[in-house]
Amino acid sequence: AQTVTQSQPEMSVQEAETVTLSCTYDTSESDYYLFWYKQPPSRQMILVIRQEAYKQQNATENRFSVNFQKAAKSFSLKISDSQLGDAAMYFCDLLEGGSEKLVFGKGTKLTVNP
Amino acid sequence: GAVVSQHPSWVICKSGTSVKIECRSLDFQATTMFWYRQFPKQSLMLMATSNEGSKATYEQGVEKDKFLINHASLTLSTLTVTSAHPEDSSFYICSAVRDRGNEQYFGPGTRLTVT
């Protein structure tokens, strides 16, 4: 069965510093997608970044980048130059190619200290 | 970007009554919509998958007679909590998919309180 594991329930970072959130997953499919969503205190889920499994290049969106290690089934999120607005719950999610359903990790609560 | 709305954002109802929550994709046609429930400080729990014109597919343990889902069009899905009880109090979130394999676009959520 597909699973997503986020081993860090909480993380904190100083403003302007860099932080990495960990995520490992398990799937038997070769076609899948990985996502990081953030949920700020407003509780609106927002897509941060997306990675297709067939792409070797790590996805990047401005200050957000991933380290996608396919063989290790690892998908970590790096946030550079952290800002106060980055404080949120971050969810790592897996979507298998033949499925419509997202598999959610339990989330990591990120605190950004001024 | 794709926008998904939910209405109402917050509702209080009395025990034994029913409440309907609407989920709309505002600027795209959604092939599939999903309904989630989120308890405080927890991840999202998928309740059901909804496709336009067909019956919803419920996750194991979700009572289909209590949580009625209607997907009337490619832009509207509704969740009706029937005979609500205090234990149904929760945060309900919908999402919509524009194309298979793409990300889900989430609504802002509905906070339901049953007194």
Side-chain angles (χ1 to χ4, degrees):
Chain A
Q2 63 273 35
T3 59
V4 176
T5 302
Q6 293 180 249
S7 59
Q8 306 153 317
E10 296 187 20
M11 292 282 285
S12 63
V13 63
Q14 290 296 127
E15 196 175 3
E17 297 294 309
T18 296
V19 64
T20 298
L21 307 184
S22 301
C23 173
T24 58
Y25 62 93
D26 191 21
T27 178
S28 57
E29 298 292 324
S30 59
D31 177 26
Y32 57 91
Y33 307 83
L34 294 160
F35 305 90
W36 278 97
Y37 280 90
K38 66 181 280 189
Q39 188 180 39
S42 68
R43 304 192 78 170
Q44 170 73 61
M45 295 284 286
I46 301 166
L47 177 68
V48 175
I49 202 163
R50 157 202 168 103
Q51 175 83 42
E52 291 89 342
Y54 66 84
K55 289 187 177 179
Q56 293 186 338
Q57 187 172 8
N58 289 326
T60 299
E61 287 289 343
N62 300 314
R63 298 182 294 107
F64 299 88
S65 61
V66 297
N67 184 2
F68 175 44
Q69 300 290 325
K70 192 171 182 178
K73 294 183 177 177
S74 171
F75 184 61
S76 61
L77 175 69
K78 185 171 83 171
I79 306 173
S80 304
D81 185 24
S82 297
Q83 300 176 0
L84 295 177
D86 295 333
M89 281 289 289
Y90 285 81
F91 294 100
C92 177
D93 301 321
L94 166 69
L95 174 67
E96 293 181 332
S99 173
E100 299 174 303
K101 298 190 286 189
L102 278 177
V103 178
F104 276 79
K106 291 190 175 182
T108 297
K109 182 180 179 181
L110 178 66
T111 301
V112 181
N113 300 309
Chain B
V3 179
V4 175
S5 70
Q6 268 183 255
H7 178 80
S9 57
W10 178 62
V11 59
I12 300 175
C13 69
K14 292 190 175 181
S15 188
T17 63
S18 296
V19 61
K20 180 185 287 188
I21 302 169
E22 289 188 350
C23 176
R24 292 182 184 271
S25 56
L26 298 185
D27 52 359
F28 67 99
Q29 292 185 327
T31 57
T32 306
M33 288 184 168
F34 302 86
W35 287 96
Y36 295 88
R37 184 172 180 177
Q38 187 178 31
F39 293 102
K41 298 184 179 181
Q42 293 190 22
S43 188
L44 278 67
M45 181 187 76
L46 180 65
M47 299 175 65
T49 302
S50 171
N51 291 288
E52 186 260 344
S54 61
K55 290 184 178 180
T57 302
Y58 290 82
E59 294 300 300
Q60 192 172 8
V62 177
E63 298 177 60
K64 58 183 67 177
D65 293 331
K66 167 168 271 299
F67 299 102
L68 299 179
I69 292 171
N70 183 284
H71 197 148
S73 74
L74 285 172
T75 60
L76 173 63
S77 178
T78 60
L79 168 68
T80 301
V81 183
T82 62
S83 186
H85 291 283
E87 57 265 30
D88 299 325
S89 298
S90 194
F91 192 69
Y92 293 88
I93 304 174
C94 74
S95 71
V97 175
R98 183 163 50 189
D99 302 304
R100 183 179 289 273
N102 275 335
E103 61 266 29
Q104 292 185 16
Y105 299 96
F106 287 85
T110 296
R111 180 177 300 283
L112 170 63
T113 301
V114 184
T115 61

